Structures are given as C-alpha cells and as structure tokens.
Amino acid sequence: MDYRKTGLEVLEAVGGKDNVAMLTHCATRLRFGFRDKGKVDRERVEAIPGVISVVDKGGQFQVVIGNEVQTAYRAIKEITGEGQGGGSQPDGSHAGGSAEKEKWLTRIISIISTTFTPVIPALVGGGMIKAVLAVLTLMNLVNTDGSTYQMLNMISDGAFYFMPVLLAYGAAIKFECSPILAMTLACTLLHPTWSGMLSAGAPITFFGIPVILSDYSYSVLPIIFTVWIMSHVERFAEKVSPSMIKFFTKPLITLFVTAPIAFLLVGPIGVFLNDVIAAGAEFINGKASWLIPALMGALQPVLVVSGTAWAMTPIATMQLTKTGSEMINGPGMLASNVAQGGATLAVALKTKNQELKQLATSTGITAVLGITEPSLYGVTLKLKRPLIASMIGGGIAGIYAGLSGLVRYAFVSPGLAALPAFIGENPMNIVHAVITCVIAFAAAFAAAWVMGFEEPEGNGKEGKGGTEESPSVKAAAGQKAFSIQSPVSGRAVPLSEVRDAVFSSGVLGKGMAVIPTGDTIVSPVKGRITAFFETKHAIGITCENGVEVLIHIGIDTVNLQGKHFTALASVDDLVEPGTPLVKIERQAILDLGYDLVTPVLVVNNGSLSEVLTTQPRDVEAGMELMKLC
C-alpha cells in the first residue's frame, strides 16, 4: 500500500491545500480543520485505499489511517507547507453565518461532553444501584420503610444530589481553571446554611441586594455558568496579584467575586433555564409523546458518529433528577441500542466472511446489552445498509416507546443489561421496555436481512489497506507462541472497554489495553523502535519476526503536545522487554481530564496468524499481556 498516495488523495478529496486551515496527526489518524467544510467529500475520503474510517467530531475531521499515518501526513505537509494551510481559522470562523453557527454548536457540544464525561461513572453507578433497588423492592426483599432501603437509596442518590460538585470538576477542566475552587463554589451552593434559608423561606439580602432563593441540588446549568465566569475571574486574579502574595490573593479574589455573582445572578438564571427546558420537554411529550423517542431511536447512530450524542444529556439528567424519571434519552436509546445489535447480528448470520462474522457476533451481542460503538464503527457504518436498517428498527421501536409512555428511572446505558432501570412506579413500564426491545431487534434484524450488504473482499481483512493472509502466515500456525508483555503496571482490560471507537472496534488491530497505575512505560517486546511521535504519546516497535506493536498512551493525549511526557528512548533504538520508553506525569494528565487507558495493538501479525488476549486482571509491567501463535 502506497500511503504517500493515500495522503495526496485525501488532500484532494477534502478540497485541496487552500481548504486546509489546520492539520495535525496522532498515532493513527489525520486531524483536519477546514476553511469551508462544504468542500469536503466525506464519501470520497472513505473510499480511498488506505483509509480505515472517518470520524467527524469535536470540531475536527479525523481520517483514520493506522500505523502509516506519518507517511500520509508528510505527503500532505509537502503540499500545504508548515503553515498548516494558511492563516484563517478553521471551519469557517471567518465571516459567514452558517460556519459561525457550526463553530458555536461544536463548542457547546464540546463543553457538554467535557463536563459530563468525568461524571458518567458516578451517574451510571448510582443509576445501577437504583435499578438493583427497584428489583429488590419488586421482589419484597427490602422494606421501603426500613433503614436498608434508605441507605441504598442514599447511596444511589448521592451523585445526583451533589451533581453541581461533580460537574464543577469537568467544567473546570474545560474552562482551564482550578477544579478545587470550582468544586468549592459548588459546595457553597449546597451548603447546609443555604438549605436552611431555603426551608425558612424568609427574604434574604447580600450587602442590601435581594437574593433569590433557589434549590441547587440536582441542578446542571447553574454550576456550568458559574465555573465559566470563575475562569475569567481567576485569570484576572492571576494577573493583578503580586507574586509574593499570589498564593493568598488569587483564591481570595476568585471566591469573593464569583460566589456572590453565582447567588445573585447566575444561579437563579440557571435554575430558570433548567425549569424552562424541563417544561419544554414535558410540553412536547404531552402534544406528541412518540416524537422524541422516535427521533432518538432513529437518529442516535448519527448523533454518535457526528459527536453530538451528548447534546441531550443535560436535559435528560435535569428531567431525571427533577421528576425521578426521564423520556428524553432513555426510551429512544434503548430502542436504538437494541436495534443496532439486531442489525449487526443479522450481518453475523448472513455473511460468509469469517472475520466479519466473528466481529459482528461479538459486537452485536455487546450492542444488545447497551454498548453500540464497536458494532457501529466496526460493522454497520462500514457496510452502510445495516446502519440504515438499525435506524429503521430504532425509529419504529421508538414510536412504540413514546406512545406507551415508557420512561427511564435511572441513568444507565440502555440495553438488555440495564432493563431493571425501567422498573419503577408504573408496573407496566418494564413490560413496555421489553416490548420496545423486541420490536427494535426484530425490525432491525428483518430490515438488515432483506436489505443485505456488500460482502467485504477476501476472507479475513476488509478492503482498504488490508491484505489477505499469505501462505507463510497460514503455515505459521505451528510456530512457537510469541509473548507480548504489559508496558506498564495497572489493570488490563479488553479493547472493547476503551472509550474510543477506533480502538474498541479493532479496526486498527487486535490487542489489549492497560489502565496505568505506574508512571513508566516500558517496551513490551524485543525489537527496534520504528515510530516515536514528537508528542511522545505513541510508540511503534517492529520485532525480528515482523510483528508490529503500537503502544498508544491515553486517549486524545496528542493534544498535550508532549507536556507531562518525557522520552526515555528514540527512533531506531534496539529495545528489550522492560526497556524504559516514556515517563509520564500520570496524576497531572488525569487532573487535566484525559483518559490514560493505554491500548497495546498488534497492527501487523508478521509471520504469525492469531492474537490471543487474556482476561481482565491486574498486571505489573513485564507480565504477559497477550501472545501470538
């Protein structure tokens, strides 16, 4: 495969050098920003040999190339030059109404995504406990008047009641200000003294200015607005504080200025918007109860691919915390997720391609359980018609969910594994949830089976950039197993748990991932370093038997531009298992909101044919992570 030619063809398909306003790359993909996105021919890019997939999210157009991305990048840079295509801002931030709207929409979605991402584990954990509690109550295993019920309810409700504190952290990461000060402001909004004032209901003032009494527990928007203002106040305090006393004056100014603004202005406005949005959702639901679930059921895959799936999360969360149930996200997502699984499993049963059959089977089951990205990126999006089938099934099931009044009582990723989250006050709600799943699966499966799809070429690797197994590979089955060690101490997990669909779908190669607890990344194999990115977040090693291994430290850590990473080796170095490669400032990177999960991928099997991974477990650097045979 000529990846230089791939890069040049990509450049032509995105509108040529004059349309490229920004170009960077990470270990696997090219990242573009454009002057005029309308000139980009996405379908043409996806059809170019060597292009694995295209991801358009977070304000960046990402072209996934794989291990040879640097070759394609260098070819493009020879044409565009080192100026990254010119001086104007990407995506039409010069004059132009539609482009300006797109920029602001992208920024809003980016704020929502960054703010909510760190909070999701807490919400999911609390939501699942709510679901378990619903099952225990239904089976009369706990008494709703007893202390056990109250304790479990308290545990499940903690993340939601203190939502402002959790969101303050994510918002501080997004707005680049102190997370601790942001969380302190959130704590003031929930302080027992303020709660007492709310209960008393008597008028209060602050330096003679009337203060509107508002309940900030469970709220979403007030703290996000407050932290945004705090970020500007903190920068001002940084600028005006003398160096000798900045340690005292910076937090003093930040809290003393921002907290009154929060209570007097931002908080009440945020609560008002919370109520308006919730009322709007209820109004739509009252007039056309089928509409929102149908749209979510049909369009959820498009929202995921476009990076806008997070847009509805604040509304759903506000509705859930305010009323105890929600119909914005849950019912439609349940229909969509199960439909995605149905369409993917139809592919698994119908295809004659053994590798596609294996991929579709595993990802289809995962999708039915509630996690759709692997099946979406690995199967249906590539084959196109099964994606349409999943949207048809999701839309049909969504209509039923809406007409039946289906609601979700807990924040979980909807699927068969999370059906207890639909057990609540209405005993028929779980029945409607099950019927929704049956309709979604059956409709999507039938549509995918009837519509069919184009079989990928070959019997193993699909099309663009892939190669069929050579006789030498097939004959290597009897060779001695080749061990790949863990590059860092931590928790070994399957690729399917990596929150980046390009890795989790396996399109770049098979392997495992490690959630690091150590700070030194070491070589997992014996070989030569053939790629060491300037940002130090990714290293490629080629072994003597031709096996190529990629170590990718974290998700989107390319954006750090090497900050908090120290290289301990370089390109062309010969390494042994355990040779130090990179030193990371792990806690500093985590504090910035980055996910440090580290995929270890076999991007080229060399003379071996099968990658054998192990079960999730705790590992030390140097322990066997997987092997090839």
Side-chain angles (χ1 to χ4, degrees):
M1 175 63 61
D2 186 352
Y3 285 94
R4 174 181 170 78
K5 182 179 179 183
T6 297
L8 296 177
E9 290 184 11
V10 168
L11 178 61
E12 184 178 350
V14 299
K17 69 174 185 177
D18 293 334
N19 194 38
V20 178
M22 182 276 292
L23 173 64
T24 60
H25 75 95
C26 61
T28 59
R29 60 194 89 178
L30 300 167
R31 298 170 180 255
F32 287 95
F34 301 113
R35 292 191 177 85
D36 183 357
K37 210 166 187 177
K39 294 181 179 180
V40 178
D41 188 340
R42 176 171 179 159
E43 291 186 2
R44 182 179 170 188
V45 174
E46 290 177 325
I48 294 172
V51 173
I52 296 174
S53 66
V54 171
V55 179
D56 189 2
K57 68 175 184 178
Q60 290 185 345
F61 186 85
Q62 303 172 20
V63 181
V64 183
I65 302 292
N67 204 36
E68 297 294 332
V69 66
Q70 288 192 80
T71 303
Y73 172 80
R74 283 193 291 265
I76 297 175
K77 292 302 290 184
E78 289 177 7
I79 305 299
T80 61
E82 291 303 316
Q84 295 183 346
S88 65
Q89 294 298 315
D91 292 319
S93 55
H94 57 296
S98 62
E100 188 68 24
K101 290 179 182 178
E102 180 180 2
K103 176 185 175 183
W104 277 103
L105 177 61
T106 298
R107 177 165 172 77
I108 290 171
I109 292 171
S110 176
I111 290 171
I112 293 171
S113 177
T114 305
T115 301
F116 270 85
T117 296
V119 179
I120 293 301
L123 300 184
V124 170
M128 289 305 297
I129 293 176
K130 280 183 179 290
V132 170
L133 187 58
V135 173
L136 294 175
T137 304
L138 188 66
M139 299 176 66
N140 292 321
L141 295 178
V142 295
N143 183 355
T144 55
D145 296 324
S147 59
T148 299
Y149 178 90
Q150 294 174 349
M151 290 288 291
L152 286 173
N153 191 55
M154 178 184 68
I155 295 169
S156 67
D157 202 43
F160 297 93
Y161 182 88
F162 291 100
M163 181 87 71
V165 179
L166 303 182
L167 292 177
Y169 176 82
I173 297 299
K174 179 61 185 177
F175 299 127
E176 299 181 355
C177 56
S178 169
I180 295 300
L181 290 179
M183 294 167 73
T184 300
L185 285 170
C187 290
T188 64
L189 297 177
L190 302 173
H191 197 280
T193 300
W194 179 253
S195 300
M197 292 177 177
L198 282 172
S199 300
I204 63 171
T205 61
F206 184 78
F207 285 110
I209 303 174
V211 179
I212 299 175
L213 291 170
S214 301
D215 185 3
Y216 298 111
S217 59
Y218 301 97
S219 66
V220 172
L221 296 181
I223 191 60
I224 295 177
F225 294 154
T226 297
V227 175
W228 176 69
I229 290 176
M230 189 201 101
S231 67
H232 294 282
V233 174
E234 186 180 46
R235 292 187 187 97
F236 170 79
E238 172 81 25
K239 184 177 180 181
V240 301
S241 296
S243 298
M244 292 183 62
I245 57 172
K246 184 177 295 184
F247 179 80
F248 304 101
T249 57
K250 181 180 174 181
L252 168 65
I253 295 172
T254 301
L255 293 176
F256 192 78
V257 173
T258 310
I261 294 176
F263 281 109
L264 293 170
L265 182 64
V266 177
I269 291 175
V271 170
F272 172 75
L273 291 176
N274 269 347
D275 293 341
V276 168
I277 292 171
E282 289 295 333
F283 175 80
I284 295 174
N285 191 45
K287 296 294 183 180
S289 62
W290 56 270
L291 180 60
I292 295 177
L295 291 175
M296 290 298 296
L299 300 180
Q300 182 68 14
V302 177
L303 298 178
V304 172
V305 172
S306 65
T308 55
W310 289 94
M312 303 295 285
T313 302
I315 303 175
T317 306
M318 286 186 289
Q319 190 178 54
L320 185 63
T321 55
K322 191 175 182 66
T323 66
S325 63
E326 67 88 20
M327 40 66 63
I328 296 294
N329 266 8
M333 286 179 65
L334 177 67
S336 177
N337 290 355
V338 175
Q340 184 73 217
T344 306
L345 289 173
V347 172
L349 286 179
K350 194 167 188 177
T351 184
K352 297 178 181 179
N353 182 291
Q354 291 304 309
E355 184 168 332
L356 177 59
K357 183 182 291 289
Q358 181 181 1
L359 176 64
T361 300
S362 61
T363 60
I365 293 173
T366 303
V368 169
L369 293 176
I371 306 298
T372 61
E373 283 83 354
S375 68
L376 175 61
Y377 285 102
V379 180
T380 59
L381 186 59
K382 285 185 174 182
L383 300 179
K384 295 182 176 63
R385 275 177 277 179
L387 175 62
I388 296 173
S390 74
M391 295 171 68
I392 292 172
I396 294 172
I399 291 174
Y400 174 83
L403 291 175
S404 66
L406 181 66
V407 296
R408 177 175 60 166
Y409 292 106
F411 193 101
V412 295
S413 180
L416 297 186
L419 279 177
F422 292 86
I423 299 175
E425 297 177 0
N426 178 8
M428 284 299 295
N429 196 70
I430 183 62
V431 176
H432 293 312
V434 172
I435 295 174
T436 297
C437 292
V438 172
I439 294 173
F441 186 91
F445 187 98
W449 192 273
V450 172
M451 295 171 67
F453 52 90
E454 289 187 23
E455 287 277 5
E457 297 177 3
N459 189 40
K461 308 211 174 175
E462 183 184 343
K464 305 176 291 189
T467 58
E468 296 185 9
E469 287 185 346
S470 65
S472 62
V473 171
K474 294 177 180 178
Q479 289 189 14
K480 184 178 179 181
F482 174 71
S483 177
I484 297 178
Q485 300 178 1
S486 176
V488 65
S489 298
R491 177 71 177 171
V493 296
L495 287 182
S496 60
E497 294 188 17
V498 176
R499 294 181 181 178
D500 185 301
V502 174
F503 291 116
S504 63
S505 64
V507 295
L508 291 178
K510 297 180 180 179
M512 292 282 288
V514 181
I515 302 171
T517 56
D519 298 317
T520 301
I521 309 298
V522 302
S523 175
V525 293
K526 178 180 179 180
R528 181 186 297 274
I529 298 177
T530 49
F532 204 120
F533 290 77
E534 292 182 5
T535 49
K536 309 179 190 70
H537 77 292
I539 306 100
I541 301 175
T542 300
C543 306
E544 293 176 350
N545 58 2
V547 172
E548 296 180 11
V549 177
L550 173 67
I551 307 163
H552 194 285
I553 309 168
I555 304 302
D556 287 333
T557 45
V558 63
N559 297 329
L560 291 173
Q561 295 295 306
K563 187 178 181 182
H564 304 305
F565 290 77
T566 301
L568 305 177
S570 59
V571 173
D572 288 333
D573 282 359
L574 296 175
V575 293
E576 299 283 342
T579 301
L581 301 176
V582 177
K583 182 80 171 179
I584 62 173
E585 297 174 30
R586 184 169 56 88
Q587 194 56 52
I589 298 170
L590 292 173
D591 288 344
L592 291 173
Y594 287 92
D595 185 348
L596 265 177
V597 63
T598 300
V600 183
L601 304 176
V602 178
V603 296
N604 182 329
N605 290 8
S607 60
L608 301 170
S609 60
E610 187 176 3
V611 179
L612 303 176
T613 57
T614 56
Q615 295 298 315
R617 69 195 196 286
D618 293 329
V619 294
E620 298 291 333
M623 288 178 58
E624 184 177 90
L625 186 65
M626 53 188 168
K627 59 184 177 182
L628 285 73
C629 61

